[in-house]
Amino acid sequence: FLQRAEAQNVNTNGSNVIQTAVSFLTIAPDSRAGAMGDAGVATSPDVNSQHWNPGKYAFAESEMGVGLSYTPWLRNLVPDINLAYLVGYKKLDDQQTVSSSLRYFSLGDITFMSDYGLELGSQKPNEFAFDLGYTRLLSDYFSGSVAIRYIRSDLTSGQMVNGTETHAGNTFAADVAFYYQNQIRVNRKNSTISAGIDISNIGGKISYTDGETKDYIPANMRLGIAYKTEMDRYNTICFTVDANKLLVPTPGTASQTAGGDIVTGLGADKSVVSSIFSSFSDAPGGFKEELREINIAAGFEYWYNKQFSIRAGYYYEDKAKGNRKFFTAGAGLKMNVFALDFSYLLSAQNNPLANTLRFTLSFDLEAFNKQKRR
């Protein structure tokens, strides 16, 4: 329940899944990227860029915007787990942008039981993260961004777990991101090529007790590239691909964890910075296993007259690292002031993520102010 195993082992089927605390930070919060296979680090800027790559805000067409997203999570398993995401940005001038977001993850109603099967009460565990970002245009084609984040995870509401007093976990983290965008002409048509990198959740470990046991948060690196082109004056298409890797230690082999004293793998005693660099070479299976830890997301987006969009995507994770494989689809409608998007996740496996829906409502506040003045 505290989002970690008592003794991390390689399963007999060969899987070796990386586990972290506060994994809600890795859930795609918005409908646009959610409809494109969870790919978003290099796509065109939108109000939800804070999660994928806040460096994109430097190239946003609007001066200011806000968005609200809602995701009923794991509906195939439970009826009351939800993710809500509120985000906004404001351009200070032609070069500087500030942004912020609030992510709230509710785990529904949980009934706590004692070791003897007695009810200890019902609680509503929850987790949230609040962040602030700053983006600066570094050249005509390149931008950079930094963000700081406060994370709070209250999973037990102070209950005793295995005879140990628990409390909410708290920690801080930071993101560093860069974005490249260039307008080009291909076959006498306007096109845009873009690329991005986002290293997120670089921060301290989190603990739910007063003891020495601490868990890594999901430090993560995304790399992506996108290509958008106009088919004619009304129709535009975009293709994008992301590669994603957790920057935390890989669990050890079964023999290395047989004593039960290693909770999060071989790097449990490493510092955060050391674990990030060693995460590229610490897999027990060597370089071949390191490659398996890279997840791939690919997406497609079609726009008609910059008002109506259709999206599709695919997400791939190696079966030894979690085996998440699913298709996604979605659509969007954009008006002068607001936009409404939704996405749907379809899994061919017996996957608890199947049939996941996301909804996003966003507002262009600059367009709203202009309309109000008129």
Side-chain angles (χ1 to χ4, degrees):
F1 188 71
L2 295 184
Q3 296 184 320
R4 61 176 184 268
E6 292 300 324
Q8 185 83 36
N9 292 321
V10 174
N11 297 331
T12 56
N13 62 4
S15 65
N16 192 16
V17 180
I18 298 175
Q19 296 188 10
T20 68
V22 293
S23 56
F24 78 104
L25 294 174
T26 64
I27 299 174
D30 67 293
S31 299
R32 183 192 180 200
M36 299 172 70
D38 290 3
V41 72
T43 52
S44 58
D46 63 14
V47 68
N48 297 292
S49 297
Q50 182 82 351
H51 174 77
W52 303 101
N53 184 346
K56 297 195 293 184
Y57 284 129
F59 295 90
E61 295 179 358
S62 174
E63 296 292 324
M64 180 169 52
V66 296
L68 177 63
S69 299
Y70 173 75
T71 304
W73 194 241
L74 298 178
R75 278 299 189 260
N76 282 358
L77 298 179
V78 289
D80 55 358
I81 297 181
N82 306 289
L83 175 67
Y85 186 65
L86 177 65
V87 63
Y89 73 95
K90 173 69 171 70
K91 285 192 173 185
L92 302 179
D93 52 40
D94 291 339
Q95 292 187 323
Q96 302 178 96
T97 306
V98 292
S99 54
S100 180
S101 72
L102 173 65
R103 177 193 304 253
Y104 182 80
F105 190 57
S106 171
L107 284 83
D109 292 315
I110 302 293
T111 300
F112 290 90
M113 309 292 290
S114 70
D115 294 337
Y116 303 101
L118 300 176
E119 288 192 12
L120 300 177
S122 179
Q123 304 290 342
K124 294 181 180 293
N126 63 84
E127 300 175 299
F128 74 85
F130 174 75
D131 51 45
L132 295 170
Y134 172 79
T135 302
R136 186 173 184 87
L137 188 66
L138 303 176
S139 73
D140 291 339
Y141 311 108
F142 192 66
S143 63
S145 179
V146 294
I148 56 173
R149 177 172 297 110
Y150 168 67
I151 305 163
R152 179 178 173 84
S153 176
D154 187 2
L155 299 179
T156 62
S157 301
Q159 298 286 338
M160 299 288 289
V161 177
N162 295 330
T164 302
E165 184 178 353
T166 65
H167 56 72
N170 299 270
T171 191
F172 289 89
D175 298 354
V176 179
F178 297 94
Y179 181 69
Y180 169 84
Q181 178 178 286
N182 190 10
Q183 308 286 337
I184 59 177
R185 293 278 292 179
V186 177
N187 295 328
R188 287 185 280 183
K189 296 179 181 179
N190 293 326
S191 302
T192 302
I193 186 169
S194 56
I197 179 173
D198 177 65
I199 303 175
S200 59
N201 302 318
I202 307 169
K205 301 176 186 178
I206 194 169
S207 176
Y208 299 93
T209 68
D210 293 328
E212 297 181 356
T213 302
K214 295 184 178 181
D215 296 304
Y216 289 99
I217 65 174
N220 187 75
M221 181 176 68
R222 295 188 188 93
L223 292 166
I225 187 169
Y227 176 74
K228 181 175 70 173
T229 185
E230 294 181 351
M231 302 173 65
D232 53 44
R233 61 179 298 185
Y234 294 107
N235 300 279
T236 303
I237 58 173
C238 173
F239 300 92
T240 185
V241 177
D242 281 9
N244 184 84
K245 187 184 187 308
L246 285 171
L247 304 181
V248 295
T250 304
T253 64
S255 61
Q256 290 168 327
T257 60
D261 56 347
I262 298 179
V263 176
T264 51
L266 292 174
D269 57 344
K270 291 183 179 180
S271 68
V272 172
V273 175
S274 177
S275 66
I276 288 175
F277 285 101
S278 65
S279 66
F280 293 96
S281 59
D282 65 352
F287 182 69
K288 185 176 180 180
E289 184 174 351
E290 292 291 347
L291 291 178
R292 291 176 177 172
E293 294 179 356
I294 300 175
N295 304 332
I296 303 297
F300 165 81
E301 182 177 50
Y302 163 79
W303 277 97
Y304 174 74
N305 201 26
K306 298 183 179 180
Q307 290 185 323
F308 177 72
S309 63
I310 297 176
R311 306 179 180 106
Y314 180 71
Y315 184 89
Y316 173 84
E317 181 179 61
D318 189 271
K319 65 179 181 179
K321 296 299 176 178
N323 202 30
R324 289 176 296 169
K325 300 180 179 70
F326 51 80
F327 290 94
T328 59
L333 178 65
K334 184 177 181 181
M335 308 302 289
N336 289 335
V337 175
F338 74 93
L340 180 63
D341 299 277
F342 82 93
S343 66
Y344 179 76
L345 187 152
L346 175 64
S347 176
Q349 307 165 321
N350 186 18
N351 192 321
L353 296 178
N355 304 320
T356 296
L357 289 169
R358 291 183 175 91
F359 305 92
T360 298
L361 179 64
S362 56
F363 294 89
D364 184 337
L365 297 184
E366 180 188 13
F368 177 79
N369 290 332
K370 289 180 179 179
Q371 190 178 71
K372 186 176 180 181
R373 286 194 295 268
R374 286 197 298 266

